[in-house]
């Protein structure tokens, strides 16, 4: 990678204003209707975790590393636990990601590509969805982008300060999400494939990263031995091709319909044109492929391949959001392809891409609340409470109760049942609450017409099916 062209003071001011405007626009898109959709299961776990003390949050490994939750716990002590407050840190991380992708793209290619990449990320439906979710993904993608930036800088300059920046970002990344190790593997493959110097320093940095993670690795092994496999819920996909098509469709904004071949073909053609350096591009053919193209392409292609290998050999891990970092190099490569076009075509291509995302994905996302994970716990609880009589009973396991108490504060068990419905400990509650039915199954099961419990016989009073993954019932005592 050649060194970036030096900026004049006027260029720096112009770029700063441009980037500031993009960050402001990205923040507004990510703040719009932030607290309207109901929290879904994983977000309710986040809220439940924030009820613990800070020390408990630091020590927990249930089931993700602590950095995101420690920062979120500190924020919740100031802002509370409303839907908007829980999600706001992700908005901040996602907005900072617009700045990070600018500097990464500028380091890989040039400032024109950087401006286009940051503009595309502002309107990325995938980025906006996870910016409005109280989970660690926006922070993880920000840290992954920063670590790649310092990797690229170190490859170009060999300076120790770049290596320190890389190591710090990498440590924070793996303390945010276990998939940070996948990014770490990709970065090592890139370094040893391209580096001509600095290998000793790089090796020492990797050793330091692993030693820094050792305390949490011990906690993780203890928790795994005590609680079992935290990822046992992940099932195998129909095929590797089906997963890759779903991944490609999802990270480009289409997560509500089956992948459209024509839509995916358009992205593939744009990427291929960017890689090939066709006759419409202003730069000469010998400049069609650069080290930046190699780095961005490896960052896009290698993580899914690694995931497919792990899924086949060791453990099922194929969840699209776990490989979601791939949308960062994808956006950079799309920006690179557009940047190589002649100015009229460049503006047309960028405008059509942003308009397509806005019309076909962002408009229904905001209008209908079409999040990737959509579970209306809030509406479910309100509907059940409106239908149930005051002396109704709820039978619920500990898992369900932990989540439900966000929308039903103060629920207290009055009796425990052993070996009810599959051997779990269930509890009976007073008041109009609910029974989980067909939890997380493709099709909800029809609940029993009546339940015989120690306190008497209860008949089915209400059954709601707010989504395919959330189906609950309430029972009332027979008189």
């Amino acid at each position: 990678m050649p060194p970036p062209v030096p900026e004049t003071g006027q260029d720096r001011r112009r770029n700063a204003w441009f980037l500031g405007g993009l960050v402001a626009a990205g923040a507004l898109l990510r703040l719009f209707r932030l607290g309207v959709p109901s929290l879904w299961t994983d977000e309710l776990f986040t809220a439940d975790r924030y009820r613990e003390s800070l020390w408990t949050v630091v020590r927990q490994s249930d089931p993700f590393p602590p950095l995101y939750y420690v920062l979120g716990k500190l924020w919740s002590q100031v802002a509370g636990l409303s839907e908007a407050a829980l999600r706001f840190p992700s908005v901040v991380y996602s907005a900072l990601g617009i700045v990070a992708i600018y500097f990464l793209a500028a380091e890989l290619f040039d400032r024109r590509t950087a401006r286009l990449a940051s503009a595309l990320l502002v309107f990325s439906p995938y980025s906006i969805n996870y910016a409005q979710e109280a989970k660690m993904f926006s922070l993880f993608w920000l840290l992954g982008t920063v670590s790649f930036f310092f990797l690229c800088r170190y490859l170009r300059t060999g300076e120790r300060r770049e290596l320190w920046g890389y190591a710090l970002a990498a440590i924070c990344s793996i303390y945010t999400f276990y998939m940070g190790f996948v990014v770490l593997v990709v970065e090592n493959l890139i370094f040893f494939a391209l580096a001509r110097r600095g290998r000793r320093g790089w090796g020492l940095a990797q050793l330091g990263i692993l030693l820094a993670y050792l305390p949490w690795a011990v906690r993780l092994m203890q928790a795994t031995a005590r609680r079992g496999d935290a990822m046992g819920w992940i099932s195998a996909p129909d095929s590797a091709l089906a997963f890759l098509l779903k991944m490609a469709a999802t990270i480009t904004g289409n997560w509500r319909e089956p992948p459209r071949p024509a839509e995916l073909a358009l992205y593939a053609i744009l990427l291929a044109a960017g890689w090939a350096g066709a006759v419409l591009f202003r730069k000469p053919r010998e400049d069609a492929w650069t080290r930046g193209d190699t780095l961005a392409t490896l960052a896009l292609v290698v993580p899914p391949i690694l995931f497919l290998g792990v899924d086949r050999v060791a453990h099922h891990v194929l969840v699209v959001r776990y490989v979601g970092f791939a949308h960062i190099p994808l956006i950079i490569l799309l920006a690179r392809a557009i940047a190589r076009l002649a100015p009229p075509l460049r503006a047309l291509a960028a405008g059509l891409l942003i308009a397509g995302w806005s019309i076909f994905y962002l408009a229904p996302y905001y209008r209908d609340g079409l999040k990737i994970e959509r579970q209306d716990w809030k509406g479910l609880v309100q509907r059940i409470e409106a239908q149930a009589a005051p002396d109704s009973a709820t039978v619920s396991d500990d898992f369900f109760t932990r989540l439900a108490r966000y929308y039903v504060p103060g629920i207290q068990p009055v009796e425990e049942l052993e070996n009810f419905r599959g051997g779990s400990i269930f509890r009976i509650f007073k008041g109009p609450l609910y029974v989980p039915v067909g939890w997380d199954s493709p099709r909800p099961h029809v609940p029993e017409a009546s339940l015989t419990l120690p306190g008497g016989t209860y008949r089915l009073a209400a059954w709601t099916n707010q989504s395919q993954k959330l189906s609950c019932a309430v029972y009332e005592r027979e008189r």
Side-chain angles (χ1 to χ4, degrees):
M1 290 173 292
V5 178
E7 285 184 306
T8 66
Q10 185 178 4
D11 289 336
R12 282 194 292 270
R13 287 191 294 272
R14 186 185 301 117
N15 284 330
W17 279 106
F18 176 80
L19 193 55
L22 288 180
V23 171
L28 288 175
L29 286 173
R30 286 152 176 77
L31 287 169
F32 183 57
R33 294 175 60 84
L34 181 64
V36 174
S38 170
L39 301 180
W40 74 287
T41 302
D42 281 14
E43 292 180 292
L44 289 169
F45 271 121
T46 299
D48 186 67
R49 196 166 183 175
Y50 290 168
R51 291 188 178 94
E52 307 291 345
S53 67
L54 181 60
W55 177 240
T56 302
V57 172
V58 171
R59 295 179 66 252
Q60 274 183 341
S61 51
D62 187 21
F64 298 113
L67 181 58
Y68 172 84
Y69 296 99
V70 169
L71 297 174
K73 171 65 177 179
L74 294 173
W75 166 251
S76 71
Q77 291 177 330
V78 176
L81 293 177
S82 67
E83 288 98 332
L86 285 170
R87 292 166 173 161
F88 183 77
S90 294
V91 173
V92 175
Y93 305 140
S94 185
L96 291 175
I98 297 169
V99 179
I101 201 173
Y102 174 89
F103 285 104
L104 176 57
E107 181 65 30
L108 288 170
F109 299 112
D110 51 47
R111 294 186 186 91
R112 178 188 298 160
T113 303
R115 287 191 290 269
L116 283 166
S118 53
L120 291 179
L121 189 61
V122 167
F123 294 93
S124 166
Y126 191 70
S127 176
I128 290 172
N129 178 89
Y130 283 103
Q132 296 194 328
E133 185 169 298
K135 291 292 291 179
M136 80 294 294
F137 299 107
S138 290
L139 176 59
F140 170 58
W141 297 335
L142 168 64
L143 293 168
T145 305
V146 172
S147 70
F148 259 98
F149 168 75
F150 281 113
L151 164 63
C152 296
R153 295 268 296 183
Y154 185 64
L155 282 171
R156 179 170 60 83
T157 68
E159 294 183 4
R160 185 174 297 178
R161 63 180 181 181
E162 315 299 349
L163 193 57
W164 278 103
Y166 165 78
L168 179 60
I171 291 170
C172 291
S173 175
I174 58 179
Y175 266 96
T176 299
F177 192 33
Y178 299 123
M179 301 309 156
F181 282 102
V182 175
V183 175
L184 207 62
V185 170
V186 174
E187 290 168 335
N188 275 274
L189 291 174
I190 289 173
F191 179 83
F192 286 109
L194 301 178
R196 297 294 178 265
R197 58 181 176 177
R199 295 194 174 196
R200 181 176 180 274
W202 180 265
L204 291 174
Q206 300 306 306
L207 179 61
I209 291 168
L210 295 177
L211 289 175
Y213 197 74
L214 189 59
W216 187 256
V218 173
R219 291 287 307 159
L220 176 62
M221 288 187 290
Q222 292 173 343
T224 302
R226 184 171 63 252
R227 302 176 187 175
D229 185 5
M231 300 178 70
W233 57 273
I234 304 175
S235 58
D238 295 335
S239 68
L241 178 60
F243 173 77
L244 291 175
L245 289 174
K246 180 181 178 182
M247 171 189 160
T250 301
I251 66 176
T252 53
N254 179 17
W255 53 76
R256 283 297 156 192
E257 300 177 16
R260 302 186 188 103
E263 181 182 4
L264 297 180
L266 287 174
Y267 288 111
I269 291 170
L270 185 57
L271 288 174
W275 284 324
V279 293
L280 291 175
F281 301 156
R282 299 178 64 86
K283 292 196 174 185
R285 181 175 294 275
E286 59 267 24
D287 193 37
W289 192 271
T290 66
R291 179 179 281 193
D293 291 292
T294 302
L295 286 164
T297 302
L298 289 174
L300 173 64
V301 172
V302 174
I305 294 175
L306 287 176
F307 267 71
L308 288 170
V310 171
D311 187 81
R312 291 294 182 267
V313 174
H315 196 293
H316 295 315
V317 293
L318 292 181
V319 179
V320 171
R321 60 184 179 271
Y322 289 0
V323 205
F325 179 75
H327 83 285
I328 299 295
L330 174 64
I331 284 178
I332 291 176
L333 287 169
L334 289 172
R336 174 62 163 165
I338 294 171
R340 281 171 157 163
L341 294 169
L345 290 176
R346 188 187 309 148
L348 178 63
L352 287 176
L353 191 56
I354 291 174
W357 284 349
S358 301
I359 294 170
F360 296 110
Y361 300 136
L362 290 182
Y365 171 85
Y366 289 123
R367 183 183 63 242
D368 304 324
L370 294 180
K371 296 177 68 68
I372 292 178
E373 297 291 346
R374 186 185 184 193
Q375 297 174 356
D376 190 8
W377 283 75
K378 179 164 52 177
L380 180 72
V381 169
Q382 291 172 349
R383 184 174 175 184
I384 291 263
E385 290 185 333
Q387 293 180 5
D391 61 348
S392 59
T394 297
V395 181
S396 177
D397 62 11
D398 287 339
F399 168 82
F400 206 79
T401 303
R402 283 177 59 190
L403 306 185
R405 65 175 176 168
Y406 181 86
Y407 289 113
V408 192
I411 56 176
Q412 296 294 329
V414 295
E415 185 174 358
E416 287 194 357
L417 297 180
E418 296 280 355
N419 300 319
F420 178 77
R421 282 191 179 178
S424 298
I425 296 178
F426 284 73
R427 293 170 178 172
I428 303 177
F429 297 86
K430 290 181 177 178
L433 299 178
Y434 37 84
V435 176
V437 178
W439 171 252
D440 204 22
S441 62
R443 296 181 180 178
H445 302 290
V446 177
E448 295 93 331
S450 63
L451 293 176
T452 301
L453 304 175
T457 301
Y458 295 78
R459 63 179 179 82
L460 180 65
W463 176 32
T464 68
N465 180 26
Q466 292 290 91
S467 73
Q468 288 186 334
K469 290 188 175 182
L470 198 60
S471 177
C472 303
V474 65
Y475 289 82
E476 295 176 353
R477 188 191 301 271
E478 288 188 348
R479 302 187 182 281

